[in-house]
Amino acid sequence: MPPRKDAPLRSDAQRNRERILEAALAELTRSADVPLSTIAKRAGVGQATFYRNFPHREALVLEVYRYEVQQVADAASQLLATRTPDQALREWMDRLARYAMAKAGLADAMRRATSAHGCLAALGHGPVTAAITLLLQANEEAGTIRPGVTPDDFLLAIAGLWQIDPHGPWQHRAGRLITLVMDGLRTGAPGP
């Protein structure tokens, strides 16, 4: 009897899936047209295992995007557990910048995969908004940012990340933008 669709994966199956996603991110960043067999080989899985997890290229590309978005979103609570709220927010924005540059490398593959599936942004909006909300609330409670900043305000403020050329000196430009955003968020903060 085949496993139920909503049944959790066995630990070895989960590891295979994660290895495929990591290999796909690396390979698709290099080339949108990379053969799926190359991704399977890099992940160390057979063709049957690969296609059991991802029956077609579009499914793989969309899952790579979801996986990456979830990694970025999960980093918010991890950072808040070990950093002050303002340090967590700054480091999370750095992580978001690295994600934006990886996303830029995947742009061609994602454009092709989503041409028939609609807007790609909607796939990651929920987890990212939840992470931003968590970080903004922690900072507002700590008095490190001005009160009343919404996730939409924050997203508008950092939208410039997606305008940076990932093939140029993006780290410096992203760092300057993040510093400007942090300075703006701190203006009017009541203080701890």
Side-chain angles (χ1 to χ4, degrees):
M1 176 158 85
R4 291 186 353 244
K5 290 271 185 203
D6 59 348
L9 293 175
R10 295 184 333 254
S11 60
D12 61 328
Q14 183 62 37
R15 280 191 303 274
N16 284 341
R17 185 174 178 78
E18 288 171 6
R19 283 198 321 261
I20 292 168
L21 291 171
E22 289 166 10
L25 177 63
E27 293 295 332
L28 289 168
T29 297
R30 279 194 265 286
S31 169
D33 296 321
V34 65
L36 296 180
S37 60
T38 301
I39 296 170
K41 184 176 181 178
R42 180 175 178 150
V45 299
Q47 295 289 341
T49 298
F50 182 90
Y51 284 106
R52 189 175 319 113
N53 281 280
F54 304 102
H56 47 80
R57 178 177 293 275
E58 291 78 16
L60 174 65
V61 171
L62 292 174
E63 189 58 26
V64 165
Y65 178 76
R66 279 190 206 101
Y67 179 77
E68 283 296 293
V69 166
Q70 194 61 55
Q71 297 301 310
V72 170
D74 290 348
S77 61
Q78 295 162 1
L79 289 167
L80 281 170
T82 59
R83 314 275 194 295
T84 62
D86 58 331
Q87 289 171 327
L89 180 60
R90 171 66 195 230
E91 288 185 38
W92 188 82
M93 283 193 284
D94 288 337
R95 173 73 194 257
L96 186 64
R98 288 191 307 273
Y99 164 74
M101 296 306 106
K103 181 180 172 193
L106 288 171
D108 219 19
M110 289 189 294
R111 224 179 343 271
R112 292 176 193 177
T114 58
S115 62
H117 295 92
C119 180
L120 184 62
L123 295 174
H125 186 69
V128 171
T129 299
I132 292 167
T133 301
L134 180 67
L135 288 161
L136 292 177
Q137 285 174 347
N139 276 277
E140 191 169 331
E141 289 170 11
T144 54
I145 65 170
R146 68 178 49 217
V149 177
T150 68
D152 285 339
D153 296 335
F154 180 84
L155 285 169
L156 284 171
I158 63 164
L161 285 176
W162 283 267
Q163 302 304 313
I164 297 172
D165 178 5
H167 305 294
W170 69 265
Q171 293 92 342
H172 174 72
R173 296 202 62 207
R176 277 186 52 84
L177 176 67
I178 292 168
T179 297
L180 288 169
V181 170
M182 286 299 297
D183 289 349
L185 291 170
R186 287 184 182 121
T187 301

